[in-house]
Amino acid sequence: MGKIVFATNNAHKLKEIRGIAKGKLEVLSLSDIGSHDEIEENGSTLEENALIKARFIKDKYGYDCFADDTGLEVEALNNAPGIYSARYAGEHCSPQDNVEKLIGEMKGKSNRKARFRTAIALLYAGGQHLFEGEITGRIIEETRGSAGFGYDPLFQPDGYDKTFAELGEELKNKISHRAIAMNKLADFLLSNAK
């Protein structure tokens, strides 16, 4: 089984990715390689931010690695919060602050359409690759469920009557934006293993 570094400090994302990659790849975290760097994400797209993180780790530590950036795009808010999803309510906000801000911004809006998008940048064997995943759904009016993280209690994927936070990790890890992008990454790595 191959090893690869996932350039993140987000324990929730790491757990989710390891669940998705289980049996396919051994995913190392930044702390596993001794990296405690704050990597500034100053790109203007999800793809740019993912590449900035992957490039930093590759250049400094030499590992093949991948990084992701994920955004929630709400149609009625001109696709906000988008690349600012993690800091929607301000620079040092909590996930709960972000959820509350989104609830406030959506008050009185009839168009509830939204999508989660993930971009993964992979630096591997001297090449650079991008993988995307997307899931459409809607923003409900109040939080439901206790699983997941971030905006999961507000996002109800199309075709389901439950939010990401109600579906449970196992199902979410099969259908989510991150799962779609991660499975593309895993398929690529397995078919191009050194």
Side-chain angles (χ1 to χ4, degrees):
M1 192 161 62
K3 291 184 181 182
I4 194 155
V5 174
F6 180 19
T8 188
N9 288 311
N10 184 316
H12 294 291
K13 281 187 183 181
L14 192 61
K15 182 179 179 192
E16 192 172 271
I17 287 284
R18 283 179 170 158
I20 293 163
K22 195 172 184 174
K24 299 176 189 173
L25 284 169
E26 183 183 351
V27 179
L28 303 175
S29 68
L30 289 177
S31 61
D32 290 337
I33 65 166
S35 169
H36 303 286
D37 306 280
E38 278 297 318
I39 304 169
E40 187 180 355
E41 299 172 44
N42 54 10
S44 59
T45 65
L46 297 174
E47 293 80 6
E48 284 177 17
N49 280 340
L51 193 53
I52 287 167
K53 290 185 276 190
R55 175 73 47 218
F56 180 92
I57 296 304
K58 179 72 175 169
D59 290 349
K60 184 167 181 181
Y61 296 92
Y63 288 97
D64 281 349
C65 66
F66 67 93
D68 84 315
D69 199 22
T70 294
L72 173 66
E73 298 176 349
V74 181
E75 197 171 278
L77 303 178
N78 296 317
N79 290 331
I83 62 168
Y84 304 105
S85 293
R87 52 194 185 279
Y88 188 41
E91 201 55 45
H92 300 289
C93 63
S94 72
Q96 186 59 38
D97 295 335
N98 289 330
V99 165
E100 287 169 13
K101 178 171 181 177
L102 183 59
I103 289 171
E105 296 283 328
M106 290 300 289
K107 270 201 177 33
K109 298 215 181 334
S110 56
N111 178 359
R112 313 292 293 185
K113 288 182 189 173
R115 66 181 181 168
F116 267 118
R117 282 184 56 233
T118 290
I120 295 177
L122 169 69
L123 299 176
Y124 180 76
Q128 175 181 307
H129 310 275
L130 282 171
F131 306 92
E132 284 190 41
E134 176 183 308
I135 187 165
T136 57
R138 59 189 297 274
I139 301 300
I140 62 170
E141 293 185 14
E142 55 189 29
T143 59
R144 291 197 327 243
S146 57
F149 63 99
Y151 299 98
D152 288 356
L154 280 179
F155 184 80
Q156 183 177 308
D158 288 341
Y160 294 85
D161 61 359
K162 294 181 174 170
T163 67
F164 266 173
E166 294 173 301
L167 288 175
E169 271 182 34
E170 193 175 329
L171 180 55
K172 182 191 169 192
N173 285 350
K174 287 181 181 154
I175 67 166
S176 78
H177 47 295
R178 194 171 288 114
I180 293 165
M182 183 62 191
N183 285 324
K184 289 177 185 176
L185 169 74
D187 290 346
F188 174 86
L189 288 171
L190 292 172
S191 62
N192 292 278
K194 293 188 222 175

